[in-house]
Amino acid sequence: MKDVIIIGSGPGGMTAALYASRSDLSVLVIERGAPGGQLMNTADVENYPGVGLVTGPDLAMSMYENSSNFGAEHAYGNVISIEDHGAVKKVICDDATYEAKAVIIASGSDHRKIGIPGEEEYSGRGVSYCAVCDGAFFKDRHLVVIGGGDSAVEEGLYLTQFASRVTIVHRRDELRAQKILQERAFKNEKIDFQWNKVPVAIEGDDVKVQSVQLKDTQTGEVENFLADGVFIYIGLDPLTEFAKDLSITNEEGWIQTNNHMETRLPGIYAIGDVRDTVLRQIATAVGDGSIAGQEVYKYITSLED
């Protein structure tokens, strides 16, 4: 029996572990991969206060080491469900079951799939959702980036250090990314744009990607656009399937909380990218984690009164 179980080890989860363990609570962090969450898929971080320019994996490792300073333990596992038994919460994984007085859900989100022909077939063979992971495999190749937000533009810029050309495909006629990112993209000689276009199929030779079928959103015309790889950044989906029976999510799967990071169930909290919130950044996840780490201490103390 632990005081608190934290599901997920991204920036929010690691911060919650730091705050909770520093309050002398027994903490178990359950993670399904390397600590860091989306940080592990981020090339450069330049908007985290006090750090300056740093790679995502380097920042993740620093946070991980700091989060363990006060005794937080870590276990690997894939969480299947959570059972709320009042003063006891059960976290059921595919190979073990853990118990705690409180649970903090910091499971984050995953890149949204388009759902077009060829996307799944060529995943890992030219279709990717992680420029940091796969960019180096496309040296001197022509790449397509799908999306118009911060992630699409940031990762498109990152890919230019490998690719001969990067084409950003966006369904509108202007980007949604921050202005500073747009300016960098427009100035980069390796980046061009396909405006008012959406992908409708990804095609290849059964071994690797060769082209993308792009549909004009205004005329309906479809063209075959040659490309060696497709990187997709069209949004995020919450990783909350294990919490569906708790009735703490909205229709899209995001977990709803108050300003104390509390869900509607006492002793169950949610933080970071998994929350129904207006901004999903490292800084906001860290803020959420610090609040939850303090609030869970208050909650557990109240159980002992």
Side-chain angles (χ1 to χ4, degrees), residues 117-296:
E119 180 181 12
E120 183 176 353
E121 178 185 354
Y122 288 102
S123 180
R125 295 191 293 163
V127 173
S128 176
Y129 308 86
C130 177
V132 177
C133 309
D134 300 325
F137 295 115
F138 294 93
K139 188 172 179 60
D140 298 326
R141 300 299 180 92
H142 177 205
L143 300 178
V144 164
V145 173
I146 309 296
D150 287 355
S151 293
V153 177
E154 285 178 335
E155 302 312 302
L157 286 163
Y158 175 81
L159 288 169
T160 59
Q161 65 183 302
F162 308 108
S164 59
R165 183 160 65 105
V166 174
T167 299
I168 296 178
V169 176
H170 188 40
R171 63 170 54 245
R172 300 179 179 86
D173 60 1
E174 61 181 6
L175 299 171
R176 294 180 290 106
Q178 298 175 56
K179 292 299 181 183
I180 188 171
L181 295 175
Q182 293 190 38
E183 291 171 0
R184 291 175 185 171
F186 293 143
K187 290 179 181 178
N188 194 306
E189 295 180 353
K190 284 190 173 183
I191 294 180
D192 58 29
F193 299 86
Q194 286 282 319
W195 303 109
N196 299 311
K197 301 286 178 62
V198 293
V200 293
I202 297 171
E203 299 183 340
D205 60 1
D206 294 330
V207 176
K208 62 184 184 299
V209 168
Q210 292 183 319
S211 65
V212 185
Q213 296 291 319
L214 298 180
K215 180 180 179 180
D216 191 300
T217 58
Q218 297 178 328
T219 67
E221 181 181 351
V222 176
E223 67 170 309
N224 187 49
F225 193 80
L226 297 179
D228 300 299
V230 181
F231 286 75
I232 300 171
Y233 298 97
I234 59 169
L236 300 168
D237 288 319
L239 295 172
T240 56
E241 182 66 20
F242 59 83
K244 63 181 182 180
D245 294 333
L246 297 177
S247 299
I248 58 176
T249 64
N250 63 15
E251 292 181 355
E252 296 178 331
W254 304 104
I255 298 179
Q256 298 174 307
T257 72
N258 60 19
N259 290 335
H260 299 276
M261 306 302 136
E262 298 169 317
T263 69
R264 70 173 192 85
L265 299 176
I268 297 182
Y269 303 78
I271 60 176
D273 285 6
V274 80
R275 287 181 61 223
D276 181 15
T277 185
V278 296
L279 185 64
R280 296 182 175 89
Q281 295 284 298
I282 301 168
T284 55
V286 167
D288 289 356
S290 60
I291 293 172
Q294 286 294 101
E295 291 297 323
V296 76

Side-chain angles (χ1 to χ4, degrees), residues 52-75:
L53 182 64
V54 62
T55 70
D58 283 347
L59 181 57
M61 183 53 64
S62 179
M63 286 184 170
Y64 173 73
E65 293 172 352
N66 195 202
S67 73
S68 304
N69 284 346
F70 297 94
E73 300 176 20
H74 294 258

Side-chain angles (χ1 to χ4, degrees), residues 98-111:
Y98 303 94
E99 293 185 350
K101 299 172 185 176
V103 171
I104 299 174
I105 301 173
S107 49
S109 56
D110 200 5
H111 291 290

